[in-house]
Amino acid sequence: MSAWIMLSSWRGMLVFAFVFFVSISARAEATNLTSLANLFIGTASGANGGSGGNAFPGAAVPHAMAKVGIDVSTAPRQAGYISDNSSITGISLMHDEGTGGNTNGGYGIFPLFPLKNCTFESCPVGIGARAALRAAGADAATPGYFTTKFVNNIQIETTSTRRAGLIRFTFPDSEQNHIVVDLAHDLGRSFSGGSIAITSDGRVELSGSYGTDNYTAYACYDFTPPSSLSPQPIVKFGTFKSDSVSNTSSITVTPSDNSSISLSFPFTSSVSKIEAGGLLSFNASSITARFGVSFISSSQACANAEEEVPDWDFDGIREASRSSWETVLERVLVDVEKENTTVVELLYSSLYRASLVPANMTGENPYWTSESPFFDALFCSWDTFRTVHPLLSILSPVEWGGIVSSYVDGWRHTGYIPECRANTKNGYVQGGSDGMPILGDFAVKYGSRAQDLGVSTDSLYQALVDTAENTPPDWYRGDLCFLLFSVHADRNASTVGRQNTAWKTFGYIPTDWDDPSGSTGLATREASRAYEYALGDFAVRQAALALGKSSEDVALYANRSMNFVNMWDPNVTSDGFSGFAQRRFPNGTFALSPPDACSPVDPTPHSCARGDDNDTGFYESSSWEMSFFAPHSVATLIRLMGGTDTFINRVNHYFDKPYFQAGNEPSFNIPWIYHYANRPDLSVLRVRQVVFKSFNTGIGGIPGNDDSGAMASLLVFHLLGLYPVVASKQFLIGSPFVSSFTLVNDFLGTQTRFIVNGFDEATVTANPPNGSRLFVKSVVINGVQSDSLCVIDFDDVIGGGEIVLEVDGDAEAAQTRGCGSTGLPDSLETGGFAG
Ligand SMILES: *[C@@H]1O[C@H](CO)[C@@H](O)[C@H](O)[C@H]1NC(C)=O
Ligand SMILES: *[C@@H]1O[C@H](CO)[C@@H](O)[C@H](O)[C@H]1NC(C)=O
Ligand SMILES: *[C@@H]1O[C@H](CO)[C@@H](O)[C@H](O)[C@H]1NC(C)=O
Ligand SMILES: *[C@@H]1O[C@H](CO)[C@@H](O)[C@H](O)[C@H]1NC(C)=O
Ligand SMILES: *[C@@H]1O[C@H](CO)[C@@H](O)[C@H](O)[C@H]1NC(C)=O
Ligand SMILES: *[C@@H]1O[C@H](CO)[C@@H](O)[C@H](O)[C@H]1NC(C)=O
Ligand SMILES: *[C@@H]1O[C@H](CO)[C@@H](O)[C@H](O)[C@H]1NC(C)=O
Ligand SMILES: *[C@@H]1O[C@H](CO)[C@@H](O)[C@H](O)[C@H]1NC(C)=O
Ligand SMILES: *[C@@H]1O[C@H](CO)[C@@H](O)[C@H](O)[C@H]1NC(C)=O
Ligand SMILES: *[C@@H]1O[C@H](CO)[C@@H](O)[C@H](O)[C@H]1NC(C)=O
Ligand SMILES: *[C@@H]1O[C@H](CO)[C@@H](O)[C@H](O)[C@H]1NC(C)=O
Ligand SMILES: *[C@@H]1O[C@H](CO)[C@@H](O)[C@H](O)[C@H]1NC(C)=O
């Protein structure tokens, strides 16, 4: 029985009344949480061995489409910004958050740049000529606002809404001030056609195609503020472009005679290196540009700006953005005066980054019209299914409902659950179809309330089944454009999805197999794909159970979800441990590759990501690491690895070697995996170590790419002493880094307060001293002693009331009590997840 139903009982009412009082006071304490978010964590350069979190520190509202920020001239610069002294080439309208891969960066479209002291025709408008250094220490950002200053004293400020915003330039005086509007440069320098049109009333409309897959975006700038604000007279405007494609640095600026002026570049199949855009000159020291962005048309971009920023009220927009972030951050309340300041800063900075994406692009879907919300920047579900979505499940069910609806709508129009959609295009499938665990997670947690969250569970379930059963012609990379023309003719002639032909024929993914169905994809990563397909099937099983589907379905997908064991070669040994996941030929023989391949200590270079080197079988991970990946049946892994003691030694060895790769997602749950061996005491020690070794509040404070908030949400879970078991209601319990916290779920109207009795500040460190009170001794949920010291149910986590953890410092006693006599986390093999 779920805790929120329990609250309607008489005893529950009392508890509720008490908690309500406590929580209100907790809320009153917690004001101005946005001031605690440090937006520069993870902005160090990834060059020369730097940490490269690729975090985006500009202006954005939660789940924004518009993400406004400055762009540096040097790569790597995935999010446009890098905390270094390199010069800036502009301030642009959209960015990614924390993604890897494309070192030049995605988006960075339609940048503006301020110029001074040049005469109109001879201004240095080209991207190389105009680039300028910013003053030391001038960059500053708070949620909803970013500012910096150039060495020549021109200041930039910006704030934004979902699809629009304001950019303000403050010059030292009003003489000879100009703004460049750049058409031809995105971060990737991938312009392949577009247009710009400027009218005498100061409106600039732009369209451009960028990226390897030619996504087309639109923008609208207005430079004439309403009469209630200070005027910024436009004294001259015009366009500029390279004189020829062979010498792009020779540029001509063409002034307008005060009639409209435009440039148009037809789409080309190769990238164009030209310089092109507009230039406007003002007689004012403060110049504000209002912008709107769109994926539909430039007139829609203008309409977005008019609708979302009607009054050009910079301070008002900024405050509205801050306030929407405050609402997000207030979903986790801690006593910010009392708790460790580093922990508080890490917590709120991480909660901030975890809600930057995916991007709410409702109304901007270029492919189909639908009542459903449209979310983009799903990058990739492989990154986000483990922690980003489970965090949304606790704190942000309304947003999550919209995001899940968008996944389901993707299936409705393409036949498969989307995997890695970005800038409206499908990205590469990293492994499995990892939207499956996301949808399974939703079904399990909110299935009974799905309608209130706008999700059709019938569609959701069909999306899962179709993705689990059908095989697209290309399961590696889908092309939505192709789909547009083919989907109605043949739903299955589609994209993304999984290589189900192989999975269903063999019960594993064979290496060196010609698929007779003709379906293709990059024939690598066989072992890690099999592990992810297994988890995907578990998600279908879980959804079937939660949504009351047939027992045949439940059994079918439960059985398939155990097929990861078919990749297990018991004869492979490494460092004295036996049994590792391996690739396998169609005839059943294993194809040996070293278990340390693609680990941090791999002695041989391998292409471990999307390369076509297929001699390891693992995607961005090693066999050492992926052999621990079966969150739905870790008991099976313990059995295969030779029992509890060997398993514990093996996990220890994985961290000590280290095969542990803190900076990438396959490692996420492993610090917690001792729970399954009845040793939560080892997990809590390991989590302390991982947090303080891998994360900090500096610009290099993330161990790898933030990956659309994946690292951020992982850190939130570590700090709160909870870890989600995806596609299930189970959370592993650890030892929180704060003495108490409250989880606020506005959809359910609940506030759940966690109190750590005996909390010991001395444990807030990488290696808590012997005897410090780190180990969970009892868990009391709304006055009722829990049977488990290792797991807690989702319904309790968000059910409201009070959860009291008692901690002590007796390591030996902690080892003896383990999870409690019946407290182990569930595994399918041992009868877990019974529903
Ligand atoms: C929030 O805190 C910051 C930093 O202390 C301060 O500058 C700002 O004025 C505060 N904002 C509000 C709305 O209290
Ligand atoms: C920029 O920083 C680098 C590395 O810290 C330093 O070597 C270089 O001199 C700096 N350049 C400028 C222009 O300050
Ligand atoms: C513009 O020129 C004036 C006069 O030479 C000079 O004092 C000022 O520093 C220059 N400003 C910028 C931003 O270059
Ligand atoms: C340019 O045109 C605008 C309106 O289209 C008008 O308000 C303005 O006075 C004109 N400026 C000049 C210099 O002719
Ligand atoms: C644009 O798309 C076409 C077809 O998908 C492709 O052949 C071409 O290379 C792309 N152009 C650019 C500049 O990426
Ligand atoms: C390109 O044009 C610039 C400016 O006119 C000139 O200085 C340069 O020599 C030209 N480069 C080539 C390769 O023609
Ligand atoms: C700029 O504005 C000032 C004050 O209104 C005026 O005196 C001056 O002539 C203007 N300059 C130009 C170039 O329009
Ligand atoms: C997404 O944007 C739409 C349109 O503004 C809005 O109605 C909806 O609430 C947003 N959804 C989320 C989850 O933010
Ligand atoms: C690797 O893949 C290529 C092409 O997909 C195939 O020709 C080759 O046999 C494969 N090699 C192994 C070892 O699987
Ligand atoms: C493991 O080795 C044993 C002994 O050599 C052999 O009988 C068995 O078939 C091997 N198992 C696999 C899966 O290769
Ligand atoms: C299975 O196939 C592999 C690859 O073709 C081959 O090397 C191996 O000898 C075969 N095993 C058996 C038992 O035929
Ligand atoms: C917070 O914890 C960190 C990590 O152990 C420690 O370095 C710092 O001194 C603590 N801060 C306070 C204010 O105690």
Side-chain angles (χ1 to χ4, degrees):
M1 188 164 50
S2 71
W4 71 71
I5 293 165
M6 263 176 59
L7 287 181
S8 59
S9 73
W10 179 80
R11 187 160 151 259
M13 290 290 269
L14 278 185
V15 171
F16 185 73
F18 168 70
V19 167
F20 192 61
F21 172 74
V22 170
S23 305
I24 289 289
S25 58
R27 238 182 185 186
E29 286 161 21
T31 55
N32 207 356
L33 296 176
T34 43
S35 66
L36 302 169
N38 176 349
L39 275 56
F40 293 99
I41 294 176
T43 58
S45 172
N48 308 317
S51 71
N54 301 338
F56 167 73
V61 295
H63 301 289
M65 177 167 132
K67 293 187 170 67
V68 203
I70 59 169
D71 299 321
V72 300
S73 54
T74 52
R77 49 155 191 261
Q78 277 90 340
Y81 184 90
I82 290 296
S83 279
D84 67 2
N85 57 10
S86 56
S87 54
I88 314 179
T89 54
I91 177 163
S92 66
L93 305 184
M94 293 182 69
H95 292 89
D96 291 325
E97 202 296 307
T99 53
N102 178 2
T103 57
N104 273 332
Y107 286 133
I109 48 177
F110 308 124
L112 299 183
F113 196 89
L115 291 173
K116 182 160 185 63
N117 281 0
C118 50
T119 55
F120 189 83
E121 282 83 356
S122 62
C123 279
V125 291
I127 191 161
R130 74 185 186 228
L133 295 171
R134 57 225 202 256
D139 301 345
T142 53
Y145 175 75
F146 178 90
T147 186
T148 192
K149 203 175 238 182
F150 289 106
V151 286
N152 65 8
N153 223 20
I154 301 174
Q155 188 185 10
I156 300 181
E157 293 167 282
T158 184
T159 187
S160 60
T161 61
R162 183 167 73 92
R163 297 176 290 182
L166 295 167
I167 301 173
R168 182 160 68 196
F169 301 93
T170 306
F171 293 83
D173 58 57
S174 58
E175 299 300 309
Q176 288 190 310
N177 296 334
H178 318 270
I179 304 291
V180 176
V181 184
D182 192 333
L183 168 66
H185 291 102
D186 64 328
L187 283 170
R189 311 290 185 252
S190 63
F191 180 68
S192 63
S195 64
I196 178 170
I198 313 175
T199 55
S200 57
D201 58 356
R203 170 160 282 190
V204 184
E205 294 189 42
L206 299 120
S207 74
S209 288
Y210 310 94
T212 47
D213 42 13
N214 311 326
Y215 72 88
T216 301
Y218 304 87
C220 177
Y221 284 109
D222 284 309
F223 286 96
T224 313
S227 52
S228 57
L229 301 180
S230 313
Q232 47 188 50
I234 301 172
V235 293
K236 214 166 190 177
F237 67 92
T239 57
F240 67 86
K241 71 180 179 79
S242 301
D243 295 336
S244 76
V245 288
S246 53
N247 187 353
T248 53
S249 60
S250 167
I251 300 170
T252 300
V253 182
T254 307
S256 156
D257 60 1
N258 202 28
S259 56
S260 300
I261 186 168
S262 64
L263 288 174
S264 182
F265 302 89
F267 174 80
T268 57
S269 62
S270 59
V271 168
S272 170
K273 297 287 180 199
I274 57 157
E275 303 273 355
L279 184 66
L280 298 96
S281 302
F282 299 86
N283 186 6
S285 59
S286 174
I287 299 169
T288 299
R290 179 180 73 178
F291 72 87
V293 281
S294 175
F295 283 91
I296 303 296
S297 66
S298 59
S299 56
Q300 179 154 326
C302 296
N304 290 345
E306 285 161 5
E307 183 193 325
E308 296 180 16
V309 189
D311 305 324
W312 297 54
D313 175 6
F314 195 99
D315 293 343
I317 298 288
R318 178 180 172 179
E319 175 52 25
S321 182
R322 192 198 72 84
S323 158
S324 60
W325 279 112
E326 201 64 37
T327 304
V328 169
L329 301 186
E330 281 178 5
R331 292 170 185 164
V332 180
L333 299 172
V334 302
D335 185 335
V336 301
E337 305 294 327
K338 184 169 139 200
E339 308 293 352
N340 178 291
T341 50
T342 305
V343 170
V344 168
E345 184 176 341
L346 288 173
L347 177 67
Y348 288 108
S349 305
S350 301
L351 284 166
Y352 171 82
R353 292 200 315 278
S355 279
L356 275 171
V357 280
N360 184 353
M361 300 213 331
T362 302
E364 301 294 338
N365 180 350
Y367 300 110
W368 60 80
T369 50
S370 167
E371 293 296 301
S372 164
F374 183 69
F375 277 79
D376 199 81
L378 304 180
F379 283 112
C380 291
S381 304
W382 183 88
D383 299 275
T384 61
F385 81 85
R386 300 159 219 259
T387 50
V388 173
H389 289 268
L391 190 62
L392 290 166
S393 81
I394 301 177
L395 304 175
S396 310
V398 173
E399 289 88 333
W400 200 36
I403 294 164
V404 167
S405 298
S406 177
Y407 271 93
V408 173
D409 204 47
W411 157 81
R412 196 175 284 126
H413 291 88
T414 70
Y416 295 88
I417 299 170
E419 170 59 22
C420 202
R421 191 170 60 212
N423 48 56
T424 77
K425 303 285 181 176
N426 278 337
Y428 295 100
V429 178
Q430 320 281 292
S433 182
D434 293 322
M436 295 176 77
I438 295 170
L439 266 51
D441 208 33
F442 185 87
V444 165
K445 290 171 176 168
Y446 289 98
S448 62
R449 290 158 182 261
Q451 210 172 355
D452 296 340
L453 293 168
V455 177
S456 155
T457 48
D458 286 344
S459 299
L460 178 147
Y461 189 66
Q462 197 58 49
L464 280 168
V465 169
D466 283 359
T467 306
E469 293 298 329
N470 303 334
T471 304
D474 181 349
W475 40 265
Y476 177 51
R477 173 143 202 200
D479 176 356
L480 277 177
C481 285
F482 160 72
L483 258 181
L484 255 193
F485 302 104
S486 66
V487 66
H488 300 298
D490 177 9
R491 220 158 205 271
N492 293 336
S494 188
T495 71
V496 300
R498 319 193 301 184
Q499 194 185 10
N500 288 322
T501 44
W503 185 234
K504 290 199 282 185
T505 306
F506 293 89
Y508 60 91
I509 309 293
T511 193
D512 267 348
W513 181 58
D514 286 326
D515 189 333
S517 76
S519 176
T520 61
L522 184 63
T524 62
R525 306 155 293 144
E526 298 87 354
S528 56
R529 278 194 285 135
Y531 273 70
E532 291 178 37
Y533 287 15
L535 180 68
D537 286 350
F538 172 70
V540 190
R541 183 264 186 198
Q542 290 290 89
L545 198 60
L547 302 175
K549 303 296 174 185
S550 72
S551 54
E552 286 80 7
D553 274 19
V554 175
L556 171 71
Y557 293 107
N559 288 340
R560 264 198 222 160
S561 80
M562 294 304 287
N563 279 347
F564 67 87
V565 299
N566 296 335
M567 309 296 325
W568 194 263
D569 184 345
N571 289 349
V572 176
T573 62
S574 170
D575 299 348
F577 295 95
S578 318
F580 284 86
Q582 290 284 307
R583 289 172 307 135
R584 215 170 174 183
F585 294 111
N587 63 14
T589 301
F590 284 98
L592 179 72
S593 44
D596 63 358
C598 296
S599 77
V601 294
D602 185 357
T604 320
H606 290 97
S607 110
C608 301
R610 292 191 283 94
D612 54 11
D613 144 351
N614 56 356
D615 58 6
T616 78
F618 296 91
Y619 179 71
E620 295 193 2
S621 185
S622 60
S623 172
W624 252 99
E625 192 164 78
M626 276 306 284
S627 294
F628 287 116
F629 188 77
H632 57 299
S633 201
V634 178
T636 308
L637 302 177
I638 295 177
R639 173 176 58 76
L640 291 172
M641 291 183 186
T644 304
D645 292 345
T646 315
F647 179 81
I648 291 167
N649 291 338
R650 186 160 165 171
V651 180
N652 287 339
H653 186 70
Y654 160 84
F655 282 104
D656 293 344
K657 184 82 179 186
Y659 294 122
F660 174 60
Q661 202 162 9
N664 215 352
E665 283 71 12
S667 73
F668 275 17
N669 67 329
I670 306 182
W672 290 81
I673 209 164
Y674 301 99
H675 271 59
Y676 293 86
N678 206 28
R679 293 296 303 275
D681 55 314
L682 297 177
S683 299
V684 295
L685 282 163
R686 190 64 75 182
V687 169
R688 286 292 195 277
Q689 187 192 78
V690 165
V691 164
F692 286 108
K693 235 172 131 173
S694 308
F695 295 91
N696 61 64
T697 57
I699 58 171
I702 312 179
N705 305 329
D706 198 32
D707 285 334
S708 296
M711 294 285 161
S713 47
L714 171 70
L715 183 55
V716 170
F717 280 120
H718 282 337
L719 295 176
L720 298 182
L722 290 170
Y723 191 85
V725 180
V726 286
S728 91
K729 283 188 166 182
Q730 293 212 324
F731 284 80
L732 307 182
I733 306 173
S735 193
F737 288 57
V738 288
S739 65
S740 73
F741 63 93
T742 299
L743 301 180
V744 179
N745 185 309
D746 285 329
F747 172 68
L748 298 170
T750 58
Q751 303 198 4
T752 316
R753 187 158 166 88
F754 289 71
I755 295 168
V756 185
N757 255 353
F759 178 77
D760 188 348
E761 173 82 38
T763 66
V764 186
T765 184
N767 297 300
N770 287 341
S772 59
R773 294 182 303 275
L774 179 66
F775 309 109
V776 178
K777 191 180 176 183
S778 82
V779 178
V780 177
I781 302 167
N782 285 322
V784 179
Q785 186 88 39
S786 168
D787 291 338
S788 178
L789 300 174
C790 284
V791 279
I792 184 168
D793 193 87
F794 173 74
D795 291 340
D796 291 324
V797 172
I798 47 79
E802 196 170 82
I803 295 173
V804 181
L805 310 179
E806 192 169 335
V807 288
D808 75 2
D810 185 341
E812 233 166 83
Q815 173 173 352
T816 306
R817 67 179 171 253
C819 293
S821 54
T822 58
L824 279 184
D826 280 0
S827 285
L828 214 44
E829 174 167 308
T830 49
F833 304 111

